[in-house]
């Protein structure tokens, strides 16, 4: 299999993929987004630093690097261009668009009957105040973001005023989710090809358990119920592989918090010993048969 991995740069994840590809005798090339050139005309092409992406059997989008709005749109459009030309892209650009947008993800999960914390999304500070007063204790998240960055827990009027007015000044969107008492424990499940490949329990002394924010991880075996929620959540956004964040509240209810369509797996692999890159390439190889 000729596999092109679109990434910002070579790093731990691409090195793991290169190692797994060599073990399986796949030809893998890491291709930087920053060098993308799309040629239109009699022979349309998409290349980066002399690598013709349309010659690949499959393109794996490892990350969409930060940049201007135009740069990000162009990079996602390039994935759509490849898919329209018959080149499989994993995850699909539509899945990536769904999962980087928390509102879209929440909407799809709700439509599929997957339990999530009560959520309100709005554009005005007045509507955000009304939602906060109705929900009582909320986590305010950026509509686009990952690794726990930019999240704020709001449980009193003074904090609500400061947070909401700040968001208002930057013309942001208010995404408020009812805070669930989870005792500083949640779960990240890694789904590949409709099955849970592995899971970790994340712990912290506070309400944020993200490993990037100081949380710790240990391997965990999921109950059939939680595993089923993770698989259903990945399917809801159309993800062939995904990181699904789940938690169980103090009264026993389980929720899906987020679905990551371009998930990292370093923490999960270190905690479980699972060769995630190998499992992912095995799945990609099967879908090519």
């Amino acid at each position: 299999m000729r596999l092109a991995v679109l990434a910002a740069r070579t790093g731990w994840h691409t090195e793991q993929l290169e190692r797994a590809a060599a073990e399986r005798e796949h030809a893998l090339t890491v291709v930087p987004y920053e060098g993308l050139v799309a040629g239109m005309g009699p022979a349309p092409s998409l290349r980066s630093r002399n690598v013709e992406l349309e010659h690949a059997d499959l393109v794996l989008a490892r990350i969409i690097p930060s940049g201007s709005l135009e740069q990000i749109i162009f990079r996602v459009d390039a994935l759509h261009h490849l898919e329209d030309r018959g080149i499989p892209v994993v995850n699909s650009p539509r899945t990536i668009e769904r999962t980087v947008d928390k509102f879209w993800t929440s909407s799809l999960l709700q439509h599929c009957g997957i339990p999530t914390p009560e959520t309100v999304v709005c554009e005005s500070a007045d509507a955000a105040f009304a939602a906060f007063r109705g929900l009582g204790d909320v986590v305010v998240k950026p509509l686009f973001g990952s690794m726990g960055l930019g999240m704020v827990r709001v449980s009193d009027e003074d904090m609500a005023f400061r947070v909401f007015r700040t968001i208002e000044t930057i013309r942001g969107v208010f995404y408020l989710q009812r805070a669930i008492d989870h005792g500083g424990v949640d779960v990240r499940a890694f789904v590949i090809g409709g099955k849970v490949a592995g899971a970790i329990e994340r712990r912290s002394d506070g309400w944020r358990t993200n490993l990037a924010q100081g949380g710790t991880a240990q391997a965990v075996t999921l109950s059939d119920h939680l595993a089923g929620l993770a698989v259903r959540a990945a399917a809801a956004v159309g993800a062939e592989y995904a990181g699904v964040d789940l938690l169980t509240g103090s009264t026993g209810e389980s929720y899906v918090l987020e679905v990551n369509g371009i998930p990292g797996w370093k923490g999960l692999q270190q905690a479980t010993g699972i060769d995630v890159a190998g499992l992912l390439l095995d799945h990609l190889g099967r879908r090519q048969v």
Side-chain angles (χ1 to χ4, degrees):
M1 178 172 63
R2 294 167 300 175
L3 178 67
V5 177
L6 274 167
R9 63 188 68 85
T10 298
W12 185 88
H13 287 88
T14 52
E15 290 169 357
Q16 288 292 306
L17 289 166
E18 288 173 325
R19 184 265 310 158
E23 292 172 356
R24 289 156 178 80
E25 298 184 344
H26 296 320
L28 184 148
T29 305
V30 178
V31 183
Y33 274 96
E34 288 81 354
L36 283 177
V37 177
M40 307 297 162
S45 67
L46 183 69
R47 65 184 184 277
S48 177
R49 300 186 184 175
N50 298 320
V51 176
E52 290 286 349
L53 291 168
E54 294 186 15
H55 293 166
D57 294 319
L58 186 142
V59 172
L60 179 66
R62 253 312 303 155
I63 194 171
I64 305 293
S66 60
S68 69
L69 178 61
E70 285 192 346
Q71 287 174 320
I72 292 171
I73 290 174
F74 170 60
R75 290 162 184 168
V76 177
D77 283 349
L79 302 180
H80 280 292
H81 168 84
L82 288 169
E83 200 169 58
D84 290 343
R85 299 285 294 173
I87 309 300
V89 179
V90 177
N91 276 312
S92 73
R94 183 61 71 197
T95 292
I96 292 170
E97 289 169 338
R98 290 167 176 161
T99 55
V100 299
D101 181 336
K102 291 184 177 64
F103 169 54
W104 199 350
T105 300
S106 295
S107 176
L108 290 168
L109 294 175
Q110 182 186 50
H111 179 72
C112 293
I114 297 169
T116 63
E118 189 175 353
T119 302
V120 175
V121 187
C122 56
E123 286 194 49
S124 78
D126 288 344
F129 273 114
F132 162 69
R133 290 176 181 130
L135 296 173
D137 184 2
V138 301
V139 177
V140 181
K141 302 179 181 181
L143 200 62
F144 307 107
S146 60
M147 299 186 295
L149 297 173
M151 297 195 310
V152 181
R153 187 163 180 174
V154 175
S155 56
D156 63 71
E157 292 270 344
D158 288 342
M159 176 65 79
F161 180 84
R162 292 195 297 272
V163 170
F164 297 161
R165 291 308 178 196
T166 299
I167 294 173
E168 185 179 49
T169 60
I170 62 172
R171 301 172 68 184
V173 172
F174 301 86
Y175 180 99
L176 289 74
Q177 200 164 63
R178 184 190 294 277
I180 305 296
D181 182 13
H182 57 84
V185 180
D186 73 1
V187 167
R188 162 60 69 94
F190 205 93
V191 178
I192 301 177
K195 298 179 181 179
V196 173
I200 51 175
E201 184 179 80
R202 303 184 298 189
R203 291 182 173 269
S204 75
D205 294 331
W207 58 273
R208 279 193 287 196
T209 59
N210 308 75
L211 301 187
Q213 301 299 320
T216 60
Q218 64 180 32
V220 64
T221 300
L222 297 186
S223 66
D224 291 343
H225 175 62
L226 285 181
L229 282 180
V231 170
R232 288 173 58 203
V237 299
E240 294 196 40
Y241 80 111
V244 181
D245 294 341
L246 311 106
L247 65 77
T248 299
S250 58
T251 55
E253 305 93 340
S254 296
Y255 303 92
V256 173
L257 291 181
E258 295 183 17
V259 184
N260 191 328
I262 312 182
W265 62 81
K266 187 174 184 178
L268 181 137
Q269 183 163 311
Q270 290 175 337
T272 65
I274 295 170
D275 180 10
V276 179
L279 292 177
L280 179 56
L281 290 191
D282 289 342
H283 165 69
L284 299 180
R286 287 191 296 270
R287 87 187 296 283
Q288 288 300 103
V289 175

